[in-house]
């Protein structure tokens, strides 16, 4: 069974909504993904290519995507509360939304880890506090867990 595990350093980001505007020279409305989202998708893709060379799930292969989004505890919290956060007793209930994190990862890995994100049959994702921020991502062939 094929499986790729990799880490993306830095504060987790979600996929930002595309901006639509009227382009008078083209004579129509145009939608563009914000630059920071494109840069983050490229970072995810580059980290995958650096750490998981050659692992590719062909068209028709169901995929399981697992994501752990790790956030640093705020500096303003007490030592006790910080310890509770790092032990998992308190979870980050803040932006970015989990669905937007999944979307940016799934889109970034299109054509790189799998043919298309329509192959994703199972997503397991969570947000936690950690001493090291970033995304821990696993892409593998789907195996029925039930």
């Amino acid at each position: 069974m094929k499986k790729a595990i990799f880490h993306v350093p830095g504060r987790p980001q979600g996929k930002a909504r595309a901006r639509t505007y009227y382009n008078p020279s083209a004579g129509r409305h145009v939608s563009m993904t914000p630059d920071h989202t494109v840069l983050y998708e490229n970072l995810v893709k580059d980290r995958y290519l650096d750490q998981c060379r050659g692992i590719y799930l062909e068209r028709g292969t169901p995929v399981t995507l697992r994501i752990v989004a790790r956030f640093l505890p705020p500096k303003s919290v007490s030592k006790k509360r910080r310890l509770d956060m790092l032990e998992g007793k308190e979870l980050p209930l803040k932006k970015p939304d989990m669905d937007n994190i999944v979307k940016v990862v799934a889109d970034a890995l299109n054509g790189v880890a799998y043919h298309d994100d329509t192959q994703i049959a199972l997503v397991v994702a969570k947000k936690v506090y950690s001493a090291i921020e970033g995304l821990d991502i696993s892409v593998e062939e789907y195996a029925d867990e039930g």
Side-chain angles (χ1 to χ4, degrees):
M1 180 164 80
K2 292 182 180 178
K3 183 174 185 175
I5 300 172
F6 66 106
H7 176 77
V8 179
R11 190 174 198 291
Q13 296 180 30
K15 180 137 185 158
R17 181 169 283 130
R19 305 291 179 222
T20 303
Y21 62 93
Y22 183 76
N23 184 336
S25 61
R28 60 188 173 95
H29 285 86
V30 178
S31 292
M32 292 183 60
T33 302
D35 290 341
H36 65 91
T37 296
V38 173
L39 290 171
Y40 194 69
E41 285 179 348
N42 287 335
L43 173 64
V44 172
K45 186 185 303 186
D46 288 345
R47 297 301 291 192
Y48 180 83
L49 291 170
D50 286 347
Q51 298 175 38
C52 307
R53 301 174 216 264
I55 297 177
Y56 181 81
L57 300 169
E58 298 294 335
R59 181 190 314 227
T61 304
V63 173
T64 297
L65 180 63
R66 298 177 194 278
I67 302 169
V68 178
R70 300 182 181 281
F71 295 88
L72 295 174
K75 293 179 181 177
S76 60
V77 299
S78 67
K79 288 182 182 179
K80 182 187 180 327
R81 188 162 171 219
R82 178 182 171 83
L83 188 60
D84 286 346
M85 290 176 165
L86 293 174
E87 289 176 352
K89 295 177 184 171
E90 188 175 333
L91 297 174
L93 306 176
K94 59 181 185 172
K95 297 274 185 181
D97 297 349
M98 194 75 242
D99 60 327
N100 290 327
I101 294 171
V102 170
K103 184 70 176 154
V104 76
V105 171
D107 287 350
L109 298 177
N110 265 344
V112 179
Y114 39 75
H115 177 72
D116 189 75
D117 58 2
T118 58
Q119 293 172 244
I120 299 173
L122 174 66
V123 175
V124 179
K126 67 179 179 177
K127 295 195 293 189
V128 298
Y129 284 112
S130 173
I132 299 172
E133 65 183 356
L135 295 176
D136 295 332
I137 303 169
S138 161
V139 181
E140 60 192 91
E141 287 183 52
Y142 173 82
D144 190 11
E145 297 176 3

